[in-house]
């Protein structure tokens, strides 16, 4: 599993400067996965918490910017990424 290691996956390494992580609330992830595969290890709340924590730790360890997308639309996510990368002026 990719998240068991602290290294970036090899295919992503050459593109590190272009990477931007997305994360979500573990409980929301649990709800989505429970609807897909109820009762599975994949959908367990512990698994969801571990995966989100590992992903965020990976982003921090490699200095990758990341964004919590729990309550954001695709348009809001795109705008936030462009703003954080300095490709779109901020509002307000």
């Amino acid at each position: 599993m990719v998240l068991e290691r602290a290294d970036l996956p090899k295919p992503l390494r050459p593109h590190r400067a272009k990477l931007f992580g997305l994360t979500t609330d573990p409980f929301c992830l649990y709800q989505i996965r429970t609807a897909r595969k109820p009762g599975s290890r994949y959908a367990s709340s512990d698994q969801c918490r571990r995966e989100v924590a590992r992903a965020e730790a990976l982003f921090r360890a490699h200095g990758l910017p990341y964004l919590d997308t729990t309550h954001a639309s695709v348009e809001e996510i795109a705008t936030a990424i462009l703003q954080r990368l300095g490709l779109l002026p901020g509002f307000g």
Side-chain angles (χ1 to χ4, degrees):
M1 176 185 225
V2 171
L3 294 176
E4 290 178 358
R5 297 178 30 205
D7 293 334
L8 285 175
K10 192 173 183 176
L12 296 180
R13 291 178 195 159
H15 309 287
R16 189 187 171 292
K18 297 179 182 180
L19 298 179
F20 200 103
L22 302 178
T23 188
T24 190
D25 177 76
F27 183 70
C28 288
L29 182 59
Y30 163 76
Q31 290 177 315
I32 292 166
R33 287 183 174 186
T34 297
R36 278 189 205 147
K37 295 198 175 212
S40 67
R41 182 176 152 246
Y42 163 81
S44 76
S45 60
D46 286 342
Q47 181 70 19
C48 292
R49 277 194 301 273
R50 275 194 303 274
E51 286 185 25
V52 171
R54 285 179 183 157
E56 290 176 358
L58 179 73
F59 301 150
R60 285 190 301 273
H62 293 279
L64 300 175
Y66 67 97
L67 180 66
D68 182 338
T69 63
T70 304
H71 301 291
S73 69
V74 171
E75 296 84 2
E76 292 168 324
I77 294 166
T79 299
I81 291 170
L82 291 173
Q83 286 176 340
R84 288 188 52 187
L85 295 176
L87 300 173
L88 185 70
F91 293 99

mmCIF file of all heavy atoms in Angstrom, residues 2-43:
data_model
loop_
_atom_site.group_PDB
_atom_site.id
_atom_site.type_symbol
_atom_site.label_atom_id
_atom_site.label_comp_id
_atom_site.label_asym_id
_atom_site.label_seq_id
_atom_site.Cartn_x
_atom_site.Cartn_y
_atom_site.Cartn_z
ATOM 1 N N VAL A 2 0.528 2.203 -0.789
ATOM 2 C CA VAL A 2 1.320 3.420 -0.962
ATOM 3 C C VAL A 2 1.503 4.173 0.353
ATOM 4 O O VAL A 2 2.590 4.659 0.639
ATOM 5 C CB VAL A 2 0.653 4.340 -2.010
ATOM 6 C CG1 VAL A 2 1.322 5.687 -2.048
ATOM 7 C CG2 VAL A 2 0.691 3.690 -3.375
ATOM 8 N N LEU A 3 0.475 4.267 1.158
ATOM 9 C CA LEU A 3 0.551 5.095 2.364
ATOM 10 C C LEU A 3 1.307 4.447 3.519
ATOM 11 O O LEU A 3 1.504 5.074 4.543
ATOM 12 C CB LEU A 3 -0.853 5.492 2.824
ATOM 13 C CG LEU A 3 -1.594 6.417 1.871
ATOM 14 C CD1 LEU A 3 -3.010 6.665 2.374
ATOM 15 C CD2 LEU A 3 -0.871 7.721 1.678
ATOM 16 N N GLU A 4 1.736 3.223 3.366
ATOM 17 C CA GLU A 4 2.502 2.582 4.432
ATOM 18 C C GLU A 4 3.944 3.064 4.455
ATOM 19 O O GLU A 4 4.646 2.866 5.427
ATOM 20 C CB GLU A 4 2.443 1.060 4.279
ATOM 21 C CG GLU A 4 1.061 0.516 4.582
ATOM 22 C CD GLU A 4 0.970 -0.975 4.398
ATOM 23 O OE1 GLU A 4 1.965 -1.604 3.992
ATOM 24 O OE2 GLU A 4 -0.119 -1.513 4.653
ATOM 25 N N ARG A 5 4.391 3.696 3.378
ATOM 26 C CA ARG A 5 5.752 4.204 3.310
ATOM 27 C C ARG A 5 5.725 5.725 3.344
ATOM 28 O O ARG A 5 4.757 6.349 2.936
ATOM 29 C CB ARG A 5 6.408 3.731 2.021
ATOM 30 C CG ARG A 5 6.527 2.219 1.975
ATOM 31 C CD ARG A 5 7.116 1.686 0.706
ATOM 32 N NE ARG A 5 8.063 2.601 0.091
ATOM 33 C CZ ARG A 5 8.336 2.602 -1.199
ATOM 34 N NH1 ARG A 5 7.742 1.762 -1.997
ATOM 35 N NH2 ARG A 5 9.212 3.438 -1.699
ATOM 36 N N ALA A 6 6.823 6.318 3.795
ATOM 37 C CA ALA A 6 6.907 7.773 3.885
ATOM 38 C C ALA A 6 7.394 8.398 2.583
ATOM 39 O O ALA A 6 7.389 9.612 2.452
ATOM 40 C CB ALA A 6 7.827 8.171 5.032
ATOM 41 N N ASP A 7 7.801 7.571 1.620
ATOM 42 C CA ASP A 7 8.295 8.081 0.348
ATOM 43 C C ASP A 7 7.149 8.375 -0.607
ATOM 44 O O ASP A 7 6.108 7.728 -0.559
ATOM 45 C CB ASP A 7 9.209 7.049 -0.325
ATOM 46 C CG ASP A 7 10.490 6.816 0.437
ATOM 47 O OD1 ASP A 7 10.922 7.730 1.171
ATOM 48 O OD2 ASP A 7 11.063 5.724 0.306
ATOM 49 N N LEU A 8 7.393 9.332 -1.494
ATOM 50 C CA LEU A 8 6.441 9.544 -2.574
ATOM 51 C C LEU A 8 6.534 8.359 -3.527
ATOM 52 O O LEU A 8 7.622 7.827 -3.747
ATOM 53 C CB LEU A 8 6.800 10.811 -3.351
ATOM 54 C CG LEU A 8 6.479 12.143 -2.706
ATOM 55 C CD1 LEU A 8 7.015 13.278 -3.577
ATOM 56 C CD2 LEU A 8 4.995 12.303 -2.501
ATOM 57 N N PRO A 9 5.418 7.946 -4.100
ATOM 58 C CA PRO A 9 5.485 6.874 -5.100
ATOM 59 C C PRO A 9 6.424 7.289 -6.237
ATOM 60 O O PRO A 9 6.439 8.450 -6.655
ATOM 61 C CB PRO A 9 4.039 6.748 -5.584
ATOM 62 C CG PRO A 9 3.224 7.281 -4.447
ATOM 63 C CD PRO A 9 4.048 8.370 -3.832
ATOM 64 N N LYS A 10 7.197 6.361 -6.719
ATOM 65 C CA LYS A 10 8.221 6.635 -7.726
ATOM 66 C C LYS A 10 7.685 7.395 -8.950
ATOM 67 O O LYS A 10 8.321 8.350 -9.401
ATOM 68 C CB LYS A 10 8.897 5.334 -8.153
ATOM 69 C CG LYS A 10 10.139 5.545 -8.950
ATOM 70 C CD LYS A 10 10.856 4.227 -9.193
ATOM 71 C CE LYS A 10 12.155 4.484 -9.944
ATOM 72 N NZ LYS A 10 12.928 3.270 -10.132
ATOM 73 N N PRO A 11 6.513 7.029 -9.498
ATOM 74 C CA PRO A 11 6.028 7.759 -10.683
ATOM 75 C C PRO A 11 5.730 9.239 -10.414
ATOM 76 O O PRO A 11 5.701 10.044 -11.335
ATOM 77 C CB PRO A 11 4.748 7.024 -11.079
ATOM 78 C CG PRO A 11 4.854 5.685 -10.430
ATOM 79 C CD PRO A 11 5.671 5.881 -9.193
ATOM 80 N N LEU A 12 5.509 9.600 -9.144
ATOM 81 C CA LEU A 12 5.192 10.989 -8.823
ATOM 82 C C LEU A 12 6.427 11.851 -8.573
ATOM 83 O O LEU A 12 6.359 13.077 -8.674
ATOM 84 C CB LEU A 12 4.295 11.051 -7.581
ATOM 85 C CG LEU A 12 2.914 10.432 -7.708
ATOM 86 C CD1 LEU A 12 2.156 10.562 -6.402
ATOM 87 C CD2 LEU A 12 2.140 11.067 -8.854
ATOM 88 N N ARG A 13 7.521 11.248 -8.236
ATOM 89 C CA ARG A 13 8.722 11.998 -7.856
ATOM 90 C C ARG A 13 9.165 13.030 -8.877
ATOM 91 O O ARG A 13 9.482 14.163 -8.497
ATOM 92 C CB ARG A 13 9.856 11.036 -7.515
ATOM 93 C CG ARG A 13 9.586 10.275 -6.246
ATOM 94 C CD ARG A 13 10.680 9.280 -5.941
ATOM 95 N NE ARG A 13 10.209 8.340 -4.934
ATOM 96 C CZ ARG A 13 10.720 7.155 -4.741
ATOM 97 N NH1 ARG A 13 11.762 6.755 -5.453
ATOM 98 N NH2 ARG A 13 10.220 6.360 -3.821
ATOM 99 N N PRO A 14 9.187 12.709 -10.171
ATOM 100 C CA PRO A 14 9.623 13.724 -11.139
ATOM 101 C C PRO A 14 8.672 14.930 -11.228
ATOM 102 O O PRO A 14 9.040 15.974 -11.744
ATOM 103 C CB PRO A 14 9.650 12.976 -12.478
ATOM 104 C CG PRO A 14 9.609 11.536 -12.153
ATOM 105 C CD PRO A 14 8.961 11.416 -10.806
ATOM 106 N N HIS A 15 7.454 14.765 -10.722
ATOM 107 C CA HIS A 15 6.435 15.815 -10.824
ATOM 108 C C HIS A 15 6.150 16.487 -9.481
ATOM 109 O O HIS A 15 5.151 17.171 -9.331
ATOM 110 C CB HIS A 15 5.144 15.214 -11.390
ATOM 111 C CG HIS A 15 5.359 14.432 -12.636
ATOM 112 N ND1 HIS A 15 5.630 15.020 -13.856
ATOM 113 C CD2 HIS A 15 5.402 13.096 -12.848
ATOM 114 C CE1 HIS A 15 5.815 14.083 -14.759
ATOM 115 N NE2 HIS A 15 5.684 12.904 -14.176
ATOM 116 N N ARG A 16 7.037 16.309 -8.535
ATOM 117 C CA ARG A 16 6.831 16.771 -7.163
ATOM 118 C C ARG A 16 6.409 18.237 -7.092
ATOM 119 O O ARG A 16 5.531 18.610 -6.325
ATOM 120 C CB ARG A 16 8.115 16.563 -6.357
ATOM 121 C CG ARG A 16 7.916 16.803 -4.894
ATOM 122 C CD ARG A 16 9.244 16.751 -4.147
ATOM 123 N NE ARG A 16 9.063 17.181 -2.798
ATOM 124 C CZ ARG A 16 8.756 18.416 -2.422
ATOM 125 N NH1 ARG A 16 8.588 19.357 -3.299
ATOM 126 N NH2 ARG A 16 8.596 18.714 -1.143
ATOM 127 N N ALA A 17 7.000 19.087 -7.915
ATOM 128 C CA ALA A 17 6.684 20.525 -7.885
ATOM 129 C C ALA A 17 5.251 20.821 -8.319
ATOM 130 O O ALA A 17 4.739 21.905 -8.042
ATOM 131 C CB ALA A 17 7.669 21.294 -8.756
ATOM 132 N N LYS A 18 4.615 19.875 -8.973
ATOM 133 C CA LYS A 18 3.245 20.072 -9.460
ATOM 134 C C LYS A 18 2.203 19.408 -8.570
ATOM 135 O O LYS A 18 1.013 19.489 -8.855
ATOM 136 C CB LYS A 18 3.113 19.517 -10.875
ATOM 137 C CG LYS A 18 3.985 20.223 -11.883
ATOM 138 C CD LYS A 18 3.815 19.597 -13.240
ATOM 139 C CE LYS A 18 4.714 20.250 -14.253
ATOM 140 N NZ LYS A 18 4.551 19.657 -15.583
ATOM 141 N N LEU A 19 2.635 18.743 -7.504
ATOM 142 C CA LEU A 19 1.700 17.983 -6.670
ATOM 143 C C LEU A 19 0.968 18.875 -5.682
ATOM 144 O O LEU A 19 1.523 19.823 -5.136
ATOM 145 C CB LEU A 19 2.449 16.889 -5.906
ATOM 146 C CG LEU A 19 3.148 15.833 -6.752
ATOM 147 C CD1 LEU A 19 3.872 14.838 -5.852
ATOM 148 C CD2 LEU A 19 2.167 15.126 -7.670
ATOM 149 N N PHE A 20 -0.273 18.541 -5.439
ATOM 150 C CA PHE A 20 -1.108 19.233 -4.460
ATOM 151 C C PHE A 20 -2.005 18.171 -3.836
ATOM 152 O O PHE A 20 -2.744 17.492 -4.538
ATOM 153 C CB PHE A 20 -1.959 20.307 -5.145
ATOM 154 C CG PHE A 20 -2.458 21.351 -4.196
ATOM 155 C CD1 PHE A 20 -1.847 22.596 -4.146
ATOM 156 C CD2 PHE A 20 -3.511 21.086 -3.344
ATOM 157 C CE1 PHE A 20 -2.302 23.564 -3.275
ATOM 158 C CE2 PHE A 20 -3.964 22.040 -2.471
ATOM 159 C CZ PHE A 20 -3.356 23.290 -2.424
ATOM 160 N N GLY A 21 -1.915 18.017 -2.526
ATOM 161 C CA GLY A 21 -2.682 16.981 -1.840
ATOM 162 C C GLY A 21 -4.095 17.406 -1.500
ATOM 163 O O GLY A 21 -4.351 18.575 -1.220
ATOM 164 N N LEU A 22 -4.989 16.451 -1.513
ATOM 165 C CA LEU A 22 -6.371 16.670 -1.088
ATOM 166 C C LEU A 22 -6.657 15.711 0.058
ATOM 167 O O LEU A 22 -6.286 14.547 0.011
ATOM 168 C CB LEU A 22 -7.343 16.405 -2.235
ATOM 169 C CG LEU A 22 -7.136 17.223 -3.504
ATOM 170 C CD1 LEU A 22 -8.146 16.805 -4.561
ATOM 171 C CD2 LEU A 22 -7.223 18.707 -3.226
ATOM 172 N N THR A 23 -7.318 16.211 1.068
ATOM 173 C CA THR A 23 -7.664 15.377 2.215
ATOM 174 C C THR A 23 -9.127 15.618 2.568
ATOM 175 O O THR A 23 -9.777 16.496 2.011
ATOM 176 C CB THR A 23 -6.710 15.670 3.403
ATOM 177 O OG1 THR A 23 -6.956 14.728 4.438
ATOM 178 C CG2 THR A 23 -6.851 17.069 3.932
ATOM 179 N N THR A 24 -9.632 14.811 3.475
ATOM 180 C CA THR A 24 -11.027 14.927 3.889
ATOM 181 C C THR A 24 -11.139 14.515 5.350
ATOM 182 O O THR A 24 -10.221 13.926 5.919
ATOM 183 C CB THR A 24 -11.935 14.053 2.992
ATOM 184 O OG1 THR A 24 -13.303 14.372 3.258
ATOM 185 C CG2 THR A 24 -11.697 12.578 3.201
ATOM 186 N N ASP A 25 -12.257 14.799 5.927
ATOM 187 C CA ASP A 25 -12.523 14.390 7.302
ATOM 188 C C ASP A 25 -12.683 12.872 7.340
ATOM 189 O O ASP A 25 -13.418 12.303 6.520
ATOM 190 C CB ASP A 25 -13.808 15.061 7.787
ATOM 191 C CG ASP A 25 -14.176 14.624 9.182
ATOM 192 O OD1 ASP A 25 -13.535 15.090 10.129
ATOM 193 O OD2 ASP A 25 -15.100 13.778 9.306
ATOM 194 N N PRO A 26 -11.994 12.199 8.255
ATOM 195 C CA PRO A 26 -12.083 10.735 8.310
ATOM 196 C C PRO A 26 -13.514 10.211 8.483
ATOM 197 O O PRO A 26 -13.859 9.167 7.930
ATOM 198 C CB PRO A 26 -11.216 10.354 9.507
ATOM 199 C CG PRO A 26 -10.290 11.499 9.689
ATOM 200 C CD PRO A 26 -11.040 12.718 9.230
ATOM 201 N N PHE A 27 -14.347 10.928 9.229
ATOM 202 C CA PHE A 27 -15.720 10.471 9.428
ATOM 203 C C PHE A 27 -16.512 10.529 8.122
ATOM 204 O O PHE A 27 -17.300 9.625 7.813
ATOM 205 C CB PHE A 27 -16.431 11.263 10.527
ATOM 206 C CG PHE A 27 -17.823 10.771 10.789
ATOM 207 C CD1 PHE A 27 -18.044 9.542 11.402
ATOM 208 C CD2 PHE A 27 -18.922 11.511 10.389
ATOM 209 C CE1 PHE A 27 -19.333 9.064 11.620
ATOM 210 C CE2 PHE A 27 -20.210 11.048 10.603
ATOM 211 C CZ PHE A 27 -20.420 9.824 11.225
ATOM 212 N N CYS A 28 -16.297 11.575 7.330
ATOM 213 C CA CYS A 28 -16.969 11.666 6.025
ATOM 214 C C CYS A 28 -16.498 10.544 5.103
ATOM 215 O O CYS A 28 -17.301 9.954 4.388
ATOM 216 C CB CYS A 28 -16.721 13.029 5.393
ATOM 217 S SG CYS A 28 -17.629 14.347 6.214
ATOM 218 N N LEU A 29 -15.205 10.253 5.124
ATOM 219 C CA LEU A 29 -14.668 9.153 4.331
ATOM 220 C C LEU A 29 -15.296 7.826 4.772
ATOM 221 O O LEU A 29 -15.689 7.005 3.946
ATOM 222 C CB LEU A 29 -13.147 9.100 4.464
ATOM 223 C CG LEU A 29 -12.428 8.020 3.658
ATOM 224 C CD1 LEU A 29 -12.691 8.171 2.171
ATOM 225 C CD2 LEU A 29 -10.931 8.066 3.968
ATOM 226 N N TYR A 30 -15.414 7.651 6.083
ATOM 227 C CA TYR A 30 -16.054 6.454 6.643
ATOM 228 C C TYR A 30 -17.490 6.311 6.124
ATOM 229 O O TYR A 30 -17.916 5.221 5.723
ATOM 230 C CB TYR A 30 -16.026 6.540 8.172
ATOM 231 C CG TYR A 30 -16.968 5.606 8.865
ATOM 232 C CD1 TYR A 30 -16.680 4.251 8.979
ATOM 233 C CD2 TYR A 30 -18.157 6.079 9.416
ATOM 234 C CE1 TYR A 30 -17.557 3.388 9.616
ATOM 235 C CE2 TYR A 30 -19.029 5.231 10.063
ATOM 236 C CZ TYR A 30 -18.735 3.888 10.161
ATOM 237 O OH TYR A 30 -19.605 3.032 10.791
ATOM 238 N N GLN A 31 -18.247 7.404 6.109
ATOM 239 C CA GLN A 31 -19.634 7.351 5.638
ATOM 240 C C GLN A 31 -19.711 6.952 4.164
ATOM 241 O O GLN A 31 -20.559 6.137 3.777
ATOM 242 C CB GLN A 31 -20.319 8.705 5.849
ATOM 243 C CG GLN A 31 -20.568 9.010 7.301
ATOM 244 C CD GLN A 31 -21.173 10.390 7.494
ATOM 245 O OE1 GLN A 31 -20.718 11.361 6.898
ATOM 246 N NE2 GLN A 31 -22.202 10.471 8.325
ATOM 247 N N ILE A 32 -18.833 7.512 3.350
ATOM 248 C CA ILE A 32 -18.823 7.184 1.921
ATOM 249 C C ILE A 32 -18.478 5.711 1.726
ATOM 250 O O ILE A 32 -19.139 4.991 0.969
ATOM 251 C CB ILE A 32 -17.819 8.086 1.174
ATOM 252 C CG1 ILE A 32 -18.319 9.530 1.164
ATOM 253 C CG2 ILE A 32 -17.563 7.572 -0.245
ATOM 254 C CD1 ILE A 32 -17.263 10.544 0.760
ATOM 255 N N ARG A 33 -17.429 5.268 2.397
ATOM 256 C CA ARG A 33 -16.993 3.878 2.230
ATOM 257 C C ARG A 33 -18.000 2.880 2.790
ATOM 258 O O ARG A 33 -18.161 1.795 2.241
ATOM 259 C CB ARG A 33 -15.631 3.680 2.887
ATOM 260 C CG ARG A 33 -14.523 4.341 2.093
ATOM 261 C CD ARG A 33 -13.198 4.079 2.726
ATOM 262 N NE ARG A 33 -12.114 4.579 1.899
ATOM 263 C CZ ARG A 33 -10.833 4.388 2.167
ATOM 264 N NH1 ARG A 33 -10.471 3.703 3.244
ATOM 265 N NH2 ARG A 33 -9.905 4.881 1.381
ATOM 266 N N THR A 34 -18.679 3.246 3.868
ATOM 267 C CA THR A 34 -19.688 2.359 4.445
ATOM 268 C C THR A 34 -20.849 2.172 3.465
ATOM 269 O O THR A 34 -21.409 1.086 3.359
ATOM 270 C CB THR A 34 -20.187 2.906 5.798
ATOM 271 O OG1 THR A 34 -19.081 2.931 6.704
ATOM 272 C CG2 THR A 34 -21.279 2.045 6.388
ATOM 273 N N ALA A 35 -21.189 3.224 2.732
ATOM 274 C CA ALA A 35 -22.247 3.107 1.725
ATOM 275 C C ALA A 35 -21.802 2.192 0.582
ATOM 276 O O ALA A 35 -22.609 1.452 0.019
ATOM 277 C CB ALA A 35 -22.614 4.485 1.185
ATOM 278 N N ARG A 36 -20.517 2.216 0.253
ATOM 279 C CA ARG A 36 -19.982 1.395 -0.848
ATOM 280 C C ARG A 36 -19.784 -0.059 -0.453
ATOM 281 O O ARG A 36 -20.124 -0.964 -1.205
ATOM 282 C CB ARG A 36 -18.628 1.937 -1.297
ATOM 283 C CG ARG A 36 -18.685 3.062 -2.218
ATOM 284 C CD ARG A 36 -17.276 3.343 -2.740
ATOM 285 N NE ARG A 36 -17.222 4.736 -3.148
ATOM 286 C CZ ARG A 36 -16.161 5.492 -3.067
ATOM 287 N NH1 ARG A 36 -15.031 5.011 -2.619
ATOM 288 N NH2 ARG A 36 -16.212 6.736 -3.456
ATOM 289 N N LYS A 37 -19.117 -0.252 0.695
ATOM 290 C CA LYS A 37 -18.751 -1.612 1.129
ATOM 291 C C LYS A 37 -18.989 -1.754 2.630
ATOM 292 O O LYS A 37 -18.042 -1.772 3.416
ATOM 293 C CB LYS A 37 -17.287 -1.893 0.806
ATOM 294 C CG LYS A 37 -17.008 -1.922 -0.667
ATOM 295 C CD LYS A 37 -15.708 -2.611 -0.948
ATOM 296 C CE LYS A 37 -15.548 -2.711 -2.443
ATOM 297 N NZ LYS A 37 -14.840 -3.875 -2.856
ATOM 298 N N PRO A 38 -20.247 -1.848 3.051
ATOM 299 C CA PRO A 38 -20.547 -1.931 4.479
ATOM 300 C C PRO A 38 -19.874 -3.130 5.142
ATOM 301 O O PRO A 38 -19.788 -4.204 4.564
ATOM 302 C CB PRO A 38 -22.070 -2.052 4.525
ATOM 303 C CG PRO A 38 -22.534 -2.279 3.144
ATOM 304 C CD PRO A 38 -21.408 -1.966 2.209
ATOM 305 N N GLY A 39 -19.374 -2.904 6.342
ATOM 306 C CA GLY A 39 -18.792 -3.974 7.136
ATOM 307 C C GLY A 39 -17.393 -4.400 6.718
ATOM 308 O O GLY A 39 -16.827 -5.311 7.314
ATOM 309 N N SER A 40 -16.820 -3.763 5.728
ATOM 310 C CA SER A 40 -15.481 -4.153 5.267
ATOM 311 C C SER A 40 -14.394 -3.439 6.074
ATOM 312 O O SER A 40 -14.638 -2.405 6.692
ATOM 313 C CB SER A 40 -15.313 -3.819 3.785
ATOM 314 O OG SER A 40 -15.312 -2.422 3.596
ATOM 315 N N ARG A 41 -13.205 -4.001 6.052
ATOM 316 C CA ARG A 41 -12.057 -3.343 6.691
ATOM 317 C C ARG A 41 -11.804 -1.994 6.015
ATOM 318 O O ARG A 41 -11.467 -1.009 6.661
ATOM 319 C CB ARG A 41 -10.824 -4.239 6.590
ATOM 320 C CG ARG A 41 -9.625 -3.623 7.277
ATOM 321 C CD ARG A 41 -8.424 -4.573 7.266
ATOM 322 N NE ARG A 41 -7.233 -3.750 7.307
ATOM 323 C CZ ARG A 41 -6.348 -3.653 6.348
ATOM 324 N NH1 ARG A 41 -6.472 -4.373 5.259
ATOM 325 N NH2 ARG A 41 -5.320 -2.859 6.447
ATOM 326 N N TYR A 42 -11.954 -1.963 4.688
ATOM 327 C CA TYR A 42 -11.811 -0.756 3.878
ATOM 328 C C TYR A 42 -12.676 0.380 4.415
ATOM 329 O O TYR A 42 -12.271 1.537 4.401
ATOM 330 C CB TYR A 42 -12.203 -1.118 2.446
ATOM 331 C CG TYR A 42 -12.527 0.007 1.502
ATOM 332 C CD1 TYR A 42 -11.517 0.719 0.868
ATOM 333 C CD2 TYR A 42 -13.855 0.324 1.198
ATOM 334 C CE1 TYR A 42 -11.819 1.730 -0.032
ATOM 335 C CE2 TYR A 42 -14.157 1.331 0.297
ATOM 336 C CZ TYR A 42 -13.138 2.036 -0.312
ATOM 337 O OH TYR A 42 -13.440 3.035 -1.202
ATOM 338 N N ALA A 43 -13.866 0.055 4.916
ATOM 339 C CA ALA A 43 -14.811 1.065 5.377
ATOM 340 C C ALA A 43 -14.743 1.320 6.878
ATOM 341 O O ALA A 43 -15.464 2.176 7.384
ATOM 342 C CB ALA A 43 -16.227 0.651 4.998
#
